Amino acid sequence: MALKDELLKILKEEKALYQQLFEIAEAKNEALVNNDTDKLVEIVENDREVIAEIETKDEQRNNKIQAIKSEFEIELEKDSYSNLIEKLPEAWGELLNPLREELIELTDEFHNLNEQNQKLLDQALELNQLSFETIVKTIKEQDTTYSKDKKLKKEQPRIINKQG
C-alpha cells in the first residue's frame, strides 16, 4: 500500500536526519571540550539547518498519519503510535516497529549527549565569568592611577608607547 511505503520513507529520512543531528552534537561536544569557539559557531549553524529539516519531516509524518487514519477510518481517543498500530493491519507494525525503536534509541542518545554538552557549556560560562571577575578584581587592586600620593602611583601598562 502506498501510504505505508510513504510513511516508511518519511521515517527513514527522519532517522537519517537524527543521525546527522547526533553527529553534529558529537562535533559540538568535541568543540566544547577543545574550547574551539569558532568551530562551535559553525556547528550551531549546521545544527539549526538540520533541526529545520527535522521539523519539516515531522510535519510530513503527522500529515501522513492523518491520511492513514482517514484511509482506515481510525479515530483514537489518545493520539499515540501504539494506539494507531493496534488499529492497522499486522504487517504495518512488523514493518514500522523496528524503525520506530531505532528512532527512539537514537533520539535518547541524542538527548543524553545534548545534556552533556549543556553541562560543558555551563562549566565554560562559569569559568569565563570567574576569569572575568578575577581580571576585574586584579585591575581594581592595581589601579592607583588617580592616587593623590604620587609615590603610590604605579605605571600603567601602555598599549601604544613612544618606542612604537
Side-chain angles (χ1 to χ4, degrees):
M1 174 176 276
L3 285 173
K4 180 171 58 175
D5 293 338
E6 290 168 10
L7 179 59
L8 191 61
K9 180 179 182 260
I10 290 169
L11 288 172
K12 285 179 180 178
E13 290 169 352
E14 207 168 2
K15 179 185 168 196
L17 287 169
Y18 272 107
Q19 285 172 323
Q20 193 176 348
L21 192 62
F22 185 78
E23 290 168 11
I24 290 170
E26 287 180 318
K28 199 184 294 184
N29 184 277
E30 189 176 327
L32 284 165
V33 168
N34 295 329
N35 200 22
D36 188 346
T37 51
D38 291 337
K39 186 73 175 168
L40 193 58
V41 169
E42 178 186 321
I43 292 167
V44 168
E45 288 303 314
N46 294 339
D47 201 356
R48 288 184 183 143
E49 291 171 17
V50 174
I51 288 170
E53 289 179 52
I54 287 173
E55 288 170 351
T56 300
K57 284 292 162 208
D58 187 49
E59 189 177 329
Q60 290 175 357
R61 177 175 37 86
N62 287 331
N63 289 340
K64 195 58 60 188
I65 287 171
Q66 292 308 316
I68 291 167
K69 285 167 60 176
S70 177
E71 175 78 20
F72 286 89
E73 297 177 357
I74 297 172
E75 287 188 32
L76 301 173
E77 273 185 43
K78 184 180 175 197
D79 246 355
S80 76
Y81 176 82
S82 51
N83 288 348
L84 177 65
I85 286 296
E86 284 177 13
K87 306 276 186 188
L88 293 169
E90 194 175 316
W92 284 66
E94 290 171 2
L95 191 62
L96 295 172
N97 284 339
L99 185 56
R100 178 178 180 263
E101 290 303 315
E102 290 172 14
L103 262 168
I104 289 171
E105 188 177 317
L106 187 58
T107 54
D108 284 348
E109 288 175 14
F110 169 73
H111 288 296
N112 289 338
L113 185 55
N114 238 13
E115 283 179 20
Q116 184 182 355
N117 284 348
Q118 186 61 49
K119 286 177 186 171
L120 285 170
L121 193 55
D122 290 344
Q123 288 171 354
L125 288 172
E126 241 177 74
L127 183 63
N128 284 341
Q129 181 65 29
L130 183 64
S131 296
F132 179 74
E133 288 171 2
T134 303
I135 291 168
V136 168
K137 182 180 176 191
T138 303
I139 289 171
K140 284 181 178 179
E141 287 173 356
Q142 293 178 356
D143 189 12
T144 56
T145 304
Y146 299 106
S147 171
K148 291 180 182 177
D149 188 349
K150 291 192 183 216
K151 290 180 183 175
L152 293 175
K153 187 174 175 180
K154 295 180 183 174
E155 187 165 326
Q156 297 295 309
R158 296 184 183 167
I159 297 173
I160 301 174
N161 59 27
K162 292 176 186 174
Q163 285 84 19

